[in-house]
Amino acid sequence: MNVLIIGGGGFLGTKLAHALTARAELRGRPITGLTLVDLSAPDTPDAPFDVASKAVDITDPDSVASLIDGSNDVIYLLAAVVSAHAEADFETGMNVNLHGVLNVLERCRALESAPVLVFTSSLAVFGGDVPDPIEDWTIPNPQTSYGVQKAIGEQLVNDYSRRGFIDGRTLRLPTISVRPGKPNRAASSFMSSIIREPLNGQEAVCPVDPDFEHYYLSPRRCVENLVRTAELDAGDLGQSRTITLPGQTLTVQQMIDAMTRVAGPEPAKLIRWEKQPEVEKIVRGWRSKYNARKAQALGLVNDDGFEDNVRAYLEDDLPSA
Amino acid sequence: MNVLIIGGGGFLGTKLAHALTARAELRGRPITGLTLVDLSAPDTPDAPFDVASKAVDITDPDSVASLIDGSNDVIYLLAAVVSAHAEADFETGMNVNLHGVLNVLERCRALESAPVLVFTSSLAVFGGDVPDPIEDWTIPNPQTSYGVQKAIGEQLVNDYSRRGFIDGRTLRLPTISVRPGKPNRAASSFMSSIIREPLNGQEAVCPVDPDFEHYYLSPRRCVENLVRTAELDAGDLGQSRTITLPGQTLTVQQMIDAMTRVAGPEPAKLIRWEKQPEVEKIVRGWRSKYNARKAQALGLVNDDGFEDNVRAYLEDDLPSA
């Protein structure tokens, strides 16, 4: 069982690599090799099998061709230009999120056997004037270029799967919180940093009101779902390979209250409230209420209260002092 | 007002060119030029303004660049590889229906002012396990490569419009019946030929059962909707530029009965019933029940009984003896 993680240097890719290393098997077979690729060669975990690391730009078809060959049993395609970046730089978003994905799919199409491919989409595919809550059959009506590019990726994974070029599965990721690391260019960045920085003893800016409501999943449960999704039986996926992941719909205030219940009253005092209209414009275009029935039927997992998310951060990601 | 029809040699493009020639104005301004392009240079109608005809392959970005300049006020993008063809030849479908559309949109993005662009999608974007009837907010879950490629075009037209690169409008066309001309490679070809050939005094093959139900619009109303759509106010389109056109849900038997009511009992005797599983597999994946609320609110038009469709064929398209 050879596994390839494209976007293996990102925070989810890194956590996924550690999870695969710890379990050392996937789809009932021992993992014999793991390759991590990103724009810069990612750090590799210690593992009881070969782990390789490479720098690959998926916008270059030749690099993709030399990366993917018949030896890749499972490919995770996590690499993407994030929302605010794709909004600010249309061409880069299209090159990576559309043409880069196409390069990977086209390379798989040229192989003799179809690899399992797990693609990460996003709930940013939803937006605009569609009824609440979002169901598995609700139209993706994204109001950002990132959302459009991800919606296109979903369609491509479906068709390449239907035609037998890949055995694809697309997960629509909720906003991940509490995300480790530093703020990034995603418009959703604050949805982790208002919890993470205070837990680290640092100030954080909240650019929206306390009643801003959104839909969240912890990195821990997200990685568990990435592993489970690779193991699903293709026959159980029905006539679409796209799965909206479970999550919790919470206001900013509910998240802060959960943090206070777990970590006491001090962290919340480090949040500075400072409205940022350009961030608010993007995130208010997203949707917050979802019925993730298909994911539940497939056995994918959720957190149980945002306290779970806070504890997962403290246990897995809090920087050592 | 300069108008460009890409796919101007097809039956809808030809009818649209005649309709524009007859009305000689669009969006409240006199038409001063009309350009028809297709893989072969289309025939041109007599018109009170300049009509040009060119051979252009939209899969070639340079040809698209030389075709489209700041002078195109309204662009109709009708060119496509049809369903059965895109299913049989994956690469050609992707090249024309995805990359060709992208070439046109990218060329528009390079212009100083955004043209009105009317793109034709199809109800073939719908399929799979989604609830009946199809609403304006139902997910496109196509079960053909053609449907996937059209669903991607819809997303692109939305995003290029939201960003101001075009003023786009996408019409999801019902199956057009009674379509003039000869059978083609579309899986839907029989849905016209079982009426058209008998009205022409010729035999036709029906590859499905009489109870096969589908959703139809006449070419006459379709062309009227293409004209009206170019004239819609962008502000009335809401947060998606995609419009499912009105149509009538009818069984094959209901269509034949309407033909008999208009043209007497002889034509129906020319239909030969001969099941074709490969056609049935594709068309049974399509959906037949739609609520076209947005189109109705925008004033787009429907036929009033399939007798209307039969009469439109007899009046507009019956070959002279």
Side-chain angles (χ1 to χ4, degrees):
Chain A
M1 174 60 57
N2 256 291
V3 182
L4 168 63
I5 306 178
I6 301 174
F11 90 95
L12 270 184
T14 303
K15 282 183 175 288
L16 176 61
H18 281 93
L20 293 174
T21 301
R23 75 201 311 270
E25 63 95 27
L26 192 65
R27 294 172 65 82
R29 284 165 50 198
I31 297 175
T32 49
L34 173 63
T35 305
L36 307 180
V37 307
D38 216 307
L39 285 177
S40 313
D43 292 339
T44 54
D46 288 328
F49 45 76
D50 284 342
V51 183
S53 172
K54 292 179 190 170
V56 172
D57 179 354
I58 60 169
T59 66
D60 174 37
D62 291 338
S63 302
V64 171
S66 68
L67 174 67
I68 299 174
D69 57 36
S71 75
N72 308 109
D73 302 297
V74 174
I75 299 173
Y76 284 95
L77 178 47
L78 315 179
V81 165
V82 297
S83 56
H85 188 180
E87 201 62 19
D89 182 349
F90 181 76
E91 284 189 26
T92 300
M94 289 289 278
N95 284 341
V96 175
N97 296 344
L98 195 163
H99 295 288
V101 168
L102 260 177
N103 288 340
V104 171
L105 295 176
E106 280 291 281
R107 176 57 184 159
C108 291
R109 185 164 75 90
L111 301 176
E112 290 204 3
S113 70
V116 170
L117 185 140
V118 180
F119 172 65
T120 47
S121 180
S122 162
L123 295 183
V125 298
F126 293 109
D129 37 18
V130 297
D132 259 332
I134 304 286
E135 303 282 357
D136 287 321
W137 58 82
T138 301
I139 190 171
N141 185 19
Q143 304 298 310
T144 61
S145 294
Y146 173 78
V148 165
Q149 291 148 12
K150 286 294 184 185
I152 291 171
E154 293 179 358
Q155 291 284 356
L156 292 171
V157 167
N158 274 345
D159 201 41
Y160 278 68
S161 297
R162 193 185 57 80
R163 298 196 70 127
F165 304 143
I166 58 171
D167 177 358
R169 297 100 196 273
T170 297
L171 292 184
R172 290 185 183 134
L173 269 49
T175 295
I176 302 301
S177 183
V178 184
R179 194 185 180 289
K182 296 187 190 310
N184 68 7
R185 294 184 67 181
S188 59
S189 184
F190 77 88
M191 300 176 191
S192 284
S193 64
I194 58 167
I195 305 297
R196 182 185 59 226
E197 266 68 273
L199 288 173
N200 294 357
Q202 294 157 359
E203 265 205 351
V205 170
C206 185
V208 299
D209 288 328
D211 69 346
F212 174 79
E213 190 176 68
H214 197 57
Y215 182 78
Y216 300 99
L217 184 68
S218 68
R220 197 186 265 187
R221 295 289 170 243
C222 184
V223 167
E224 194 174 337
N225 286 327
L226 284 168
V227 172
R228 284 180 185 227
T229 297
E231 301 199 314
L232 291 174
D233 192 81
D236 291 337
L237 294 168
Q239 289 179 292
S240 165
R241 298 304 186 104
T242 309
I243 305 166
T244 295
L245 277 186
Q248 302 177 92
T249 300
L250 300 164
T251 64
V252 161
Q253 190 61 55
Q254 288 173 312
M255 296 162 74
I256 294 172
D257 290 347
M259 172 172 71
T260 297
R261 280 193 291 276
V262 173
E266 291 310 311
K269 297 177 186 167
L270 291 165
I271 300 169
R272 217 170 65 229
W273 300 85
E274 207 170 86
K275 300 258 276 181
Q276 293 174 1
E278 74 284 4
V279 170
E280 197 156 20
K281 180 166 179 281
I282 294 177
V283 300
R284 292 258 179 211
W286 297 350
R287 303 298 291 260
S288 62
K289 293 185 174 67
Y290 297 85
N291 271 331
R293 293 178 211 268
K294 181 175 179 178
Q296 286 154 13
L298 290 168
L300 299 182
V301 293
N302 199 356
D303 302 289
D304 184 15
F306 196 72
E307 290 86 343
D308 260 15
N309 305 52
V310 174
R311 274 185 223 109
Y313 177 73
L314 293 174
E315 292 168 18
D316 297 351
D317 295 308
L318 192 72
S320 40
Chain B
M1 175 60 57
N2 255 291
V3 182
L4 168 63
I5 306 178
I6 302 173
F11 90 95
L12 270 184
T14 304
K15 282 184 174 286
L16 176 61
H18 280 94
L20 293 174
T21 301
R23 75 202 310 270
E25 62 95 27
L26 193 64
R27 293 173 66 83
R29 286 164 50 196
I31 296 173
T32 50
L34 173 64
T35 305
L36 307 179
V37 308
D38 216 307
L39 284 177
S40 313
D43 291 339
T44 55
D46 287 328
F49 46 76
D50 284 344
V51 182
S53 173
K54 292 178 191 171
V56 172
D57 179 352
I58 60 169
T59 65
D60 174 37
D62 291 339
S63 303
V64 171
S66 68
L67 174 67
I68 299 175
D69 57 35
S71 75
N72 308 110
D73 301 297
V74 174
I75 299 172
Y76 285 95
L77 177 48
L78 314 179
V81 165
V82 297
S83 56
H85 187 179
E87 202 61 19
D89 182 349
F90 182 74
E91 284 189 26
T92 299
M94 289 290 277
N95 283 340
V96 174
N97 296 344
L98 194 162
H99 295 289
V101 168
L102 260 177
N103 288 339
V104 171
L105 295 176
E106 279 291 280
R107 176 57 184 158
C108 291
R109 185 164 76 89
L111 301 176
E112 290 202 3
S113 70
V116 169
L117 185 141
V118 180
F119 172 65
T120 47
S121 179
S122 163
L123 295 183
V125 298
F126 293 109
D129 36 18
V130 297
D132 259 333
I134 304 286
E135 304 282 356
D136 288 319
W137 59 82
T138 301
I139 190 170
N141 185 20
Q143 303 299 310
T144 61
S145 295
Y146 173 78
V148 165
Q149 291 148 13
K150 286 294 183 185
I152 291 171
E154 294 180 357
Q155 290 285 356
L156 292 171
V157 167
N158 274 345
D159 202 43
Y160 278 68
S161 296
R162 193 184 57 81
R163 300 198 69 128
F165 305 142
I166 59 171
D167 177 359
R169 297 100 197 275
T170 297
L171 292 183
R172 288 185 185 134
L173 269 48
T175 295
I176 303 300
S177 183
V178 185
R179 194 186 182 289
K182 295 189 191 308
N184 68 7
R185 293 184 69 181
S188 58
S189 184
F190 77 88
M191 300 175 191
S192 284
S193 65
I194 57 167
I195 305 297
R196 181 185 60 227
E197 265 69 90
L199 288 173
N200 294 357
Q202 294 155 359
E203 265 205 351
V205 170
C206 185
V208 298
D209 288 328
D211 69 348
F212 174 78
E213 189 177 69
H214 198 57
Y215 183 78
Y216 300 99
L217 185 68
S218 69
R220 196 187 266 187
R221 295 290 170 240
C222 184
V223 167
E224 193 174 338
N225 286 328
L226 284 168
V227 172
R228 286 180 185 227
T229 296
E231 300 200 315
L232 291 174
D233 192 80
D236 292 337
L237 294 168
Q239 291 180 290
S240 165
R241 299 304 186 103
T242 309
I243 305 165
T244 295
L245 277 185
Q248 301 176 91
T249 300
L250 300 164
T251 63
V252 161
Q253 190 61 54
Q254 287 174 313
M255 296 163 73
I256 294 170
D257 290 347
M259 171 172 73
T260 297
R261 281 193 291 276
V262 173
E266 291 310 309
K269 297 177 186 166
L270 291 166
I271 300 170
R272 219 172 64 228
W273 301 85
E274 208 171 87
K275 300 257 276 182
Q276 292 173 2
E278 73 285 2
V279 170
E280 196 156 21
K281 181 165 178 283
I282 294 178
V283 300
R284 292 258 179 211
W286 297 350
R287 303 298 291 258
S288 62
K289 294 186 173 68
Y290 298 85
N291 272 331
R293 295 178 210 268
K294 181 175 180 177
Q296 286 154 13
L298 290 168
L300 300 181
V301 294
N302 199 357
D303 302 289
D304 184 17
F306 196 73
E307 291 85 343
D308 259 15
N309 306 51
V310 174
R311 275 185 223 107
Y313 176 75
L314 293 174
E315 291 168 19
D316 297 350
D317 296 307
L318 193 72
S320 41

